[in-house]
Structures are given as C-alpha cells and as structure tokens.
Amino acid sequence: QKEVEQNSGPLSVPEGAIASLNCTYSDRGSQSFFWYRQYSGKSPELIMFIYSNGDKEDGRFTAQLNKASQYVSLLIRDSQPSDSATYLCAVRTGAGSYQLTFGKGTKLSVIP
Amino acid sequence: SAVISQKPSRDICQRGTSLTIQCQVDSQVTMMFWYRQQPGQSLTLIATANQGSEATYESGFVIDKFPISRPNLTFSTLTVSNMSPEDSSIYLCSVTGSPYEQYFGPGTRLTVT
C-alpha cells in the first residue's frame, strides 16, 4: 500500500516567517514528488515538483528531497497571508506511471 | 499549462439518480484522470481515462458505478451512477502536461440528498 503522510496541522506562522511543511512516503520506488496548494473551495494548484535529491528553489518556495529518508519538504520564505491554504504532497511511483498518490494535506495559516 | 473546464460546476442530486460530469481541455493531452475529494479529505484517484479504450479503475472503484468515456484527446466524461449521500464529493479531472506536471480542472461539487 503506497502511503503519503503529512502533518494535518493547522500550522500557524507569523507573516514574514519561514513555513516548513513535511511529507514522508512509504514506496521506495517513488520517482517524483509534487507540492500542490489548495485554497478553500478551489482545486489544487501545482507549486513545485522535484525528482532529484537535494534542494530546488523557485522564488519564495524551496522543495527539499531526501530519498534515503523517504522525506520531502516545502519551505516558504517570507510567508504572506495569501499563502494561507492547504498544502498537498503528492508522489508518483515508477517512470512509466503518471498516477499521483496524495497526502491528506497540511493546513497553513499565516498570521498578519 | 493546459486550460481545463468542467461542467457542471456544482449540482444537487437526489439519491438513486445519475450525473454525468464533463471535462474539456483546450489542447490534446495523452493522459486524463478523474479524482474524488470527499469533504475534508485529500484526493483519491478514481480512474485513468484512456482514449479509445476502457478506463483503468483503481481499487475500490468499478465501471458500473463510475462509467467513463474518452472519445478524443481533449474530452472525457465521468458518470456517477445510482447516487447515494456517500457520493457527495468534489470530482476533479486532471491532465498531464510535461512528465512532471499534472494540472487539475476547477472541479464539480456534488451533493446527494
């Protein structure tokens, strides 16, 4: 059974701080990893993907991957109230598969 | 990224009836998927909609309950059949862009009474 685990939160951070969101996965064959942001009542929006060990930066967002520890994280620097949303971690296993397994999401609240 | 539209955006249906949800993409895509998001939950994959062949269903989902059509590379439908209140969910279609990008439509919010 492929599992993706996230702390459900809520995670509260003050405006301007760094928000750290974590995700672990059970399938060692997992190939690529995705972070989606979902505002209440909206569909998920792709923020970042990562497939190599290490860090990947895009603006205020940094994704970190450690395949040995089966761990992926998302850092949001200079958090803004508009970042308040649920963040979903998704994992794709196998080079030939496009199917995603999602975690339950972490709700982030950025306090002005 | 592809632009995805879904119809209807929401509906309230009576138990025992069926609803067909449409997903339209503005460009040809190889892979289309249908997901369900139950209240307060994450996304669960229902099936992969294959063009020109039967859909591939995930464990716990069957064709009789969730028939899917994929007549071409830009369009798919999902039918929720013989509905019960437990089918109240948001239904989302998604498509792949590059191998590392998967995008979601706006969703169909279904309430079964």
Side-chain angles (χ1 to χ4, degrees):
Chain A
Q1 178 99 9
K2 302 170 188 174
E3 294 183 347
V4 178
E5 301 285 343
Q6 293 182 256
N7 188 327
S8 61
L11 172 66
S12 293
V13 299
E15 183 175 355
I18 296 175
S20 178
L21 304 163
N22 305 315
C23 174
T24 59
Y25 58 95
S26 63
D27 189 342
R28 283 197 172 274
S30 299
Q31 299 265 328
S32 46
F33 309 84
F34 303 80
W35 284 99
Y36 285 84
R37 177 175 61 198
Q38 187 174 28
Y39 292 113
S40 180
K42 301 294 186 181
S43 63
E45 172 193 7
L46 180 64
I47 299 174
M48 292 190 71
F49 63 86
I50 186 168
Y51 54 87
S52 298
N53 275 329
D55 295 359
K56 179 182 179 182
E57 186 174 318
D58 184 0
R60 296 186 296 112
F61 299 97
T62 299
Q64 299 175 316
L65 174 61
N66 184 325
K67 288 188 177 180
S69 300
Q70 296 175 241
Y71 175 93
V72 59
S73 65
L74 179 70
L75 301 178
I76 306 174
R77 289 181 300 281
D78 188 24
S79 295
Q80 301 297 308
S82 58
D83 295 326
S84 297
T86 297
Y87 288 80
L88 301 169
C89 173
V91 174
R92 191 169 81 202
T93 58
S97 169
Y98 288 84
Q99 298 168 353
L100 297 179
T101 300
F102 281 83
K104 292 186 176 181
T106 298
K107 187 171 183 178
L108 172 66
S109 293
V110 180
I111 311 301
Chain B
S1 63
V3 176
I4 308 168
S5 60
Q6 285 185 236
K7 290 181 181 179
S9 59
R10 59 177 63 229
D11 208 340
I12 301 173
C13 301
Q14 294 203 344
R15 88 171 53 216
T17 63
S18 297
L19 176 72
T20 295
I21 302 167
Q22 298 179 4
C23 178
Q24 179 75 53
V25 189
D26 69 342
S27 58
Q28 292 187 342
V29 293
T30 304
M31 308 296 291
M32 293 182 76
F33 305 91
W34 287 97
Y35 287 82
R36 179 174 75 181
Q37 187 173 31
Q38 294 177 301
Q41 301 297 313
S42 190
L43 284 77
T44 301
L45 179 64
I46 298 172
T48 303
N50 303 310
Q51 196 266 330
S53 63
E54 275 195 6
T56 305
Y57 289 84
E58 297 300 302
S59 176
F61 298 96
V62 296
I63 188 171
D64 289 346
K65 176 68 175 176
F66 297 102
I68 288 170
S69 77
R70 177 93 191 269
N72 56 52
L73 293 175
T74 64
F75 186 78
S76 177
T77 66
L78 168 74
T79 299
V80 186
S81 303
N82 188 25
M83 288 184 284
S84 67
E86 292 71 34
D87 295 320
S88 297
S89 292
I90 300 173
Y91 291 86
L92 297 135
C93 73
S94 74
V95 303
T96 53
S98 73
Y100 297 106
E101 297 174 317
Q102 190 170 126
Y103 301 102
F104 286 85
T108 295
R109 185 179 295 270
L110 171 62
T111 302
V112 183
T113 61

mmCIF file of all heavy atoms in Angstrom, chain B residues 28-53:
data_model
loop_
_atom_site.group_PDB
_atom_site.id
_atom_site.type_symbol
_atom_site.label_atom_id
_atom_site.label_comp_id
_atom_site.label_asym_id
_atom_site.label_seq_id
_atom_site.Cartn_x
_atom_site.Cartn_y
_atom_site.Cartn_z
ATOM 1 N N GLN B 28 -4.721 18.927 -26.984
ATOM 2 C CA GLN B 28 -4.717 17.470 -26.923
ATOM 3 C C GLN B 28 -3.767 16.983 -25.826
ATOM 4 O O GLN B 28 -2.631 17.460 -25.738
ATOM 5 C CB GLN B 28 -4.300 16.896 -28.283
ATOM 6 C CG GLN B 28 -5.323 17.143 -29.378
ATOM 7 C CD GLN B 28 -4.968 16.431 -30.677
ATOM 8 O OE1 GLN B 28 -3.826 16.037 -30.880
ATOM 9 N NE2 GLN B 28 -5.935 16.272 -31.563
ATOM 10 N N VAL B 29 -4.235 16.069 -25.036
ATOM 11 C CA VAL B 29 -3.427 15.519 -23.948
ATOM 12 C C VAL B 29 -3.531 14.005 -23.981
ATOM 13 O O VAL B 29 -4.564 13.444 -24.329
ATOM 14 C CB VAL B 29 -3.882 16.038 -22.562
ATOM 15 C CG1 VAL B 29 -3.611 17.525 -22.434
ATOM 16 C CG2 VAL B 29 -5.349 15.747 -22.309
ATOM 17 N N THR B 30 -2.438 13.374 -23.599
ATOM 18 C CA THR B 30 -2.418 11.918 -23.614
ATOM 19 C C THR B 30 -3.157 11.340 -22.413
ATOM 20 O O THR B 30 -3.993 10.456 -22.540
ATOM 21 C CB THR B 30 -0.971 11.407 -23.629
ATOM 22 O OG1 THR B 30 -0.293 11.983 -24.740
ATOM 23 C CG2 THR B 30 -0.934 9.888 -23.740
ATOM 24 N N MET B 31 -2.820 11.866 -21.248
ATOM 25 C CA MET B 31 -3.320 11.272 -20.010
ATOM 26 C C MET B 31 -4.372 12.169 -19.376
ATOM 27 O O MET B 31 -4.150 13.357 -19.164
ATOM 28 C CB MET B 31 -2.175 11.064 -19.011
ATOM 29 C CG MET B 31 -0.978 10.303 -19.573
ATOM 30 S SD MET B 31 -1.381 8.618 -20.040
ATOM 31 C CE MET B 31 -1.649 7.900 -18.428
ATOM 32 N N MET B 32 -5.518 11.582 -19.055
ATOM 33 C CA MET B 32 -6.548 12.269 -18.291
ATOM 34 C C MET B 32 -6.956 11.374 -17.134
ATOM 35 O O MET B 32 -7.028 10.155 -17.287
ATOM 36 C CB MET B 32 -7.781 12.579 -19.166
ATOM 37 C CG MET B 32 -7.516 13.590 -20.261
ATOM 38 S SD MET B 32 -8.992 13.979 -21.228
ATOM 39 C CE MET B 32 -9.879 15.041 -20.095
ATOM 40 N N PHE B 33 -7.199 12.000 -16.006
ATOM 41 C CA PHE B 33 -7.529 11.260 -14.795
ATOM 42 C C PHE B 33 -8.769 11.865 -14.138
ATOM 43 O O PHE B 33 -9.037 13.045 -14.281
ATOM 44 C CB PHE B 33 -6.370 11.334 -13.785
ATOM 45 C CG PHE B 33 -5.050 10.866 -14.327
ATOM 46 C CD1 PHE B 33 -4.180 11.768 -14.914
ATOM 47 C CD2 PHE B 33 -4.683 9.536 -14.243
ATOM 48 C CE1 PHE B 33 -2.957 11.350 -15.408
ATOM 49 C CE2 PHE B 33 -3.454 9.110 -14.738
ATOM 50 C CZ PHE B 33 -2.601 10.017 -15.325
ATOM 51 N N TRP B 34 -9.468 11.030 -13.392
ATOM 52 C CA TRP B 34 -10.569 11.504 -12.563
ATOM 53 C C TRP B 34 -10.248 11.206 -11.110
ATOM 54 O O TRP B 34 -9.897 10.078 -10.753
ATOM 55 C CB TRP B 34 -11.873 10.826 -12.967
ATOM 56 C CG TRP B 34 -12.414 11.324 -14.273
ATOM 57 C CD1 TRP B 34 -12.272 10.769 -15.507
ATOM 58 C CD2 TRP B 34 -13.188 12.513 -14.463
ATOM 59 N NE1 TRP B 34 -12.901 11.534 -16.446
ATOM 60 C CE2 TRP B 34 -13.477 12.605 -15.840
ATOM 61 C CE3 TRP B 34 -13.663 13.505 -13.605
ATOM 62 C CZ2 TRP B 34 -14.233 13.655 -16.381
ATOM 63 C CZ3 TRP B 34 -14.407 14.545 -14.141
ATOM 64 C CH2 TRP B 34 -14.684 14.610 -15.515
ATOM 65 N N TYR B 35 -10.405 12.251 -10.269
ATOM 66 C CA TYR B 35 -10.169 12.135 -8.838
ATOM 67 C C TYR B 35 -11.451 12.485 -8.080
ATOM 68 O O TYR B 35 -12.311 13.213 -8.577
ATOM 69 C CB TYR B 35 -9.074 13.106 -8.380
ATOM 70 C CG TYR B 35 -7.670 12.732 -8.776
ATOM 71 C CD1 TYR B 35 -7.168 13.028 -10.033
ATOM 72 C CD2 TYR B 35 -6.827 12.102 -7.862
ATOM 73 C CE1 TYR B 35 -5.867 12.697 -10.386
ATOM 74 C CE2 TYR B 35 -5.521 11.776 -8.194
ATOM 75 C CZ TYR B 35 -5.049 12.076 -9.456
ATOM 76 O OH TYR B 35 -3.761 11.746 -9.787
ATOM 77 N N ARG B 36 -11.508 12.022 -6.843
ATOM 78 C CA ARG B 36 -12.585 12.401 -5.940
ATOM 79 C C ARG B 36 -11.965 12.993 -4.685
ATOM 80 O O ARG B 36 -10.945 12.480 -4.184
ATOM 81 C CB ARG B 36 -13.420 11.171 -5.576
ATOM 82 C CG ARG B 36 -14.560 11.442 -4.619
ATOM 83 C CD ARG B 36 -15.413 10.205 -4.427
ATOM 84 N NE ARG B 36 -14.766 9.210 -3.586
ATOM 85 C CZ ARG B 36 -15.315 8.033 -3.291
ATOM 86 N NH1 ARG B 36 -16.512 7.725 -3.785
ATOM 87 N NH2 ARG B 36 -14.678 7.188 -2.521
ATOM 88 N N GLN B 37 -12.574 14.044 -4.178
ATOM 89 C CA GLN B 37 -12.133 14.637 -2.926
ATOM 90 C C GLN B 37 -13.339 14.743 -2.017
ATOM 91 O O GLN B 37 -14.184 15.633 -2.198
ATOM 92 C CB GLN B 37 -11.467 15.996 -3.134
ATOM 93 C CG GLN B 37 -10.847 16.556 -1.867
ATOM 94 C CD GLN B 37 -10.033 17.817 -2.109
ATOM 95 O OE1 GLN B 37 -10.322 18.604 -3.001
ATOM 96 N NE2 GLN B 37 -8.995 18.028 -1.295
ATOM 97 N N GLN B 38 -13.437 13.842 -1.070
ATOM 98 C CA GLN B 38 -14.542 13.868 -0.121
ATOM 99 C C GLN B 38 -14.315 14.975 0.905
ATOM 100 O O GLN B 38 -13.177 15.422 1.099
ATOM 101 C CB GLN B 38 -14.701 12.491 0.534
ATOM 102 C CG GLN B 38 -15.121 11.437 -0.490
ATOM 103 C CD GLN B 38 -15.230 10.056 0.094
ATOM 104 O OE1 GLN B 38 -14.274 9.510 0.629
ATOM 105 N NE2 GLN B 38 -16.414 9.468 -0.021
ATOM 106 N N PRO B 39 -15.393 15.435 1.539
ATOM 107 C CA PRO B 39 -15.275 16.585 2.448
ATOM 108 C C PRO B 39 -14.162 16.423 3.481
ATOM 109 O O PRO B 39 -14.106 15.425 4.188
ATOM 110 C CB PRO B 39 -16.652 16.635 3.107
ATOM 111 C CG PRO B 39 -17.567 16.027 2.097
ATOM 112 C CD PRO B 39 -16.773 14.951 1.423
ATOM 113 N N GLY B 40 -13.262 17.388 3.527
ATOM 114 C CA GLY B 40 -12.171 17.381 4.498
ATOM 115 C C GLY B 40 -11.080 16.367 4.214
ATOM 116 O O GLY B 40 -10.198 16.187 5.061
ATOM 117 N N GLN B 41 -11.126 15.733 3.071
ATOM 118 C CA GLN B 41 -10.161 14.686 2.751
ATOM 119 C C GLN B 41 -9.253 15.095 1.593
ATOM 120 O O GLN B 41 -9.463 16.128 0.955
ATOM 121 C CB GLN B 41 -10.895 13.388 2.389
ATOM 122 C CG GLN B 41 -11.805 12.864 3.484
ATOM 123 C CD GLN B 41 -11.040 12.495 4.745
ATOM 124 O OE1 GLN B 41 -10.011 11.825 4.695
ATOM 125 N NE2 GLN B 41 -11.529 12.961 5.888
ATOM 126 N N SER B 42 -8.279 14.251 1.341
ATOM 127 C CA SER B 42 -7.400 14.515 0.207
ATOM 128 C C SER B 42 -7.972 13.894 -1.058
ATOM 129 O O SER B 42 -9.108 13.418 -1.075
ATOM 130 C CB SER B 42 -6.006 13.959 0.507
ATOM 131 O OG SER B 42 -5.090 14.411 -0.474
ATOM 132 N N LEU B 43 -7.189 13.915 -2.103
ATOM 133 C CA LEU B 43 -7.660 13.432 -3.391
ATOM 134 C C LEU B 43 -7.412 11.932 -3.527
ATOM 135 O O LEU B 43 -6.342 11.440 -3.174
ATOM 136 C CB LEU B 43 -6.932 14.154 -4.522
ATOM 137 C CG LEU B 43 -7.368 15.581 -4.815
ATOM 138 C CD1 LEU B 43 -6.808 16.550 -3.780
ATOM 139 C CD2 LEU B 43 -6.948 15.984 -6.210
ATOM 140 N N THR B 44 -8.396 11.254 -4.088
ATOM 141 C CA THR B 44 -8.277 9.820 -4.362
ATOM 142 C C THR B 44 -8.503 9.603 -5.847
ATOM 143 O O THR B 44 -9.516 10.057 -6.395
ATOM 144 C CB THR B 44 -9.309 9.018 -3.558
ATOM 145 O OG1 THR B 44 -9.118 9.257 -2.159
ATOM 146 C CG2 THR B 44 -9.166 7.532 -3.841
ATOM 147 N N LEU B 45 -7.604 8.892 -6.478
ATOM 148 C CA LEU B 45 -7.731 8.619 -7.903
ATOM 149 C C LEU B 45 -8.835 7.596 -8.140
ATOM 150 O O LEU B 45 -8.820 6.520 -7.530
ATOM 151 C CB LEU B 45 -6.402 8.107 -8.456
ATOM 152 C CG LEU B 45 -6.371 7.762 -9.936
ATOM 153 C CD1 LEU B 45 -6.617 8.999 -10.803
ATOM 154 C CD2 LEU B 45 -5.025 7.124 -10.316
ATOM 155 N N ILE B 46 -9.771 7.941 -9.013
ATOM 156 C CA ILE B 46 -10.840 7.008 -9.384
ATOM 157 C C ILE B 46 -10.378 6.134 -10.544
ATOM 158 O O ILE B 46 -10.448 4.905 -10.481
ATOM 159 C CB ILE B 46 -12.122 7.771 -9.796
ATOM 160 C CG1 ILE B 46 -12.662 8.591 -8.623
ATOM 161 C CG2 ILE B 46 -13.173 6.806 -10.334
ATOM 162 C CD1 ILE B 46 -13.812 9.528 -9.010
ATOM 163 N N ALA B 47 -9.907 6.782 -11.609
ATOM 164 C CA ALA B 47 -9.553 6.030 -12.811
ATOM 165 C C ALA B 47 -8.738 6.894 -13.758
ATOM 166 O O ALA B 47 -8.746 8.121 -13.674
ATOM 167 C CB ALA B 47 -10.806 5.534 -13.519
ATOM 168 N N THR B 48 -8.052 6.219 -14.650
ATOM 169 C CA THR B 48 -7.366 6.848 -15.768
ATOM 170 C C THR B 48 -8.240 6.690 -16.996
ATOM 171 O O THR B 48 -8.667 5.562 -17.325
ATOM 172 C CB THR B 48 -6.001 6.174 -16.010
ATOM 173 O OG1 THR B 48 -5.231 6.256 -14.812
ATOM 174 C CG2 THR B 48 -5.259 6.843 -17.153
ATOM 175 N N ALA B 49 -8.533 7.789 -17.656
ATOM 176 C CA ALA B 49 -9.397 7.761 -18.845
ATOM 177 C C ALA B 49 -8.513 7.570 -20.070
ATOM 178 O O ALA B 49 -7.708 8.428 -20.400
ATOM 179 C CB ALA B 49 -10.183 9.062 -18.947
ATOM 180 N N ASN B 50 -8.652 6.450 -20.714
ATOM 181 C CA ASN B 50 -7.819 6.108 -21.862
ATOM 182 C C ASN B 50 -8.575 6.403 -23.153
ATOM 183 O O ASN B 50 -9.724 5.985 -23.309
ATOM 184 C CB ASN B 50 -7.448 4.623 -21.813
ATOM 185 C CG ASN B 50 -6.730 4.255 -20.525
ATOM 186 O OD1 ASN B 50 -5.774 4.902 -20.134
ATOM 187 N ND2 ASN B 50 -7.200 3.216 -19.859
ATOM 188 N N GLN B 51 -7.922 7.077 -24.079
ATOM 189 C CA GLN B 51 -8.568 7.397 -25.346
ATOM 190 C C GLN B 51 -8.672 6.150 -26.204
ATOM 191 O O GLN B 51 -7.676 5.481 -26.454
ATOM 192 C CB GLN B 51 -7.790 8.489 -26.057
ATOM 193 C CG GLN B 51 -8.554 9.162 -27.186
ATOM 194 C CD GLN B 51 -8.284 8.534 -28.544
ATOM 195 O OE1 GLN B 51 -7.200 8.022 -28.770
ATOM 196 N NE2 GLN B 51 -9.249 8.580 -29.435
ATOM 197 N N GLY B 52 -9.873 5.825 -26.605
ATOM 198 C CA GLY B 52 -10.093 4.698 -27.494
ATOM 199 C C GLY B 52 -10.180 3.344 -26.832
ATOM 200 O O GLY B 52 -10.308 2.319 -27.513
ATOM 201 N N SER B 53 -10.113 3.304 -25.518
ATOM 202 C CA SER B 53 -10.233 2.025 -24.814
ATOM 203 C C SER B 53 -10.889 2.264 -23.455
ATOM 204 O O SER B 53 -11.124 3.404 -23.062
ATOM 205 C CB SER B 53 -8.867 1.360 -24.640
ATOM 206 O OG SER B 53 -8.035 2.153 -23.838
#
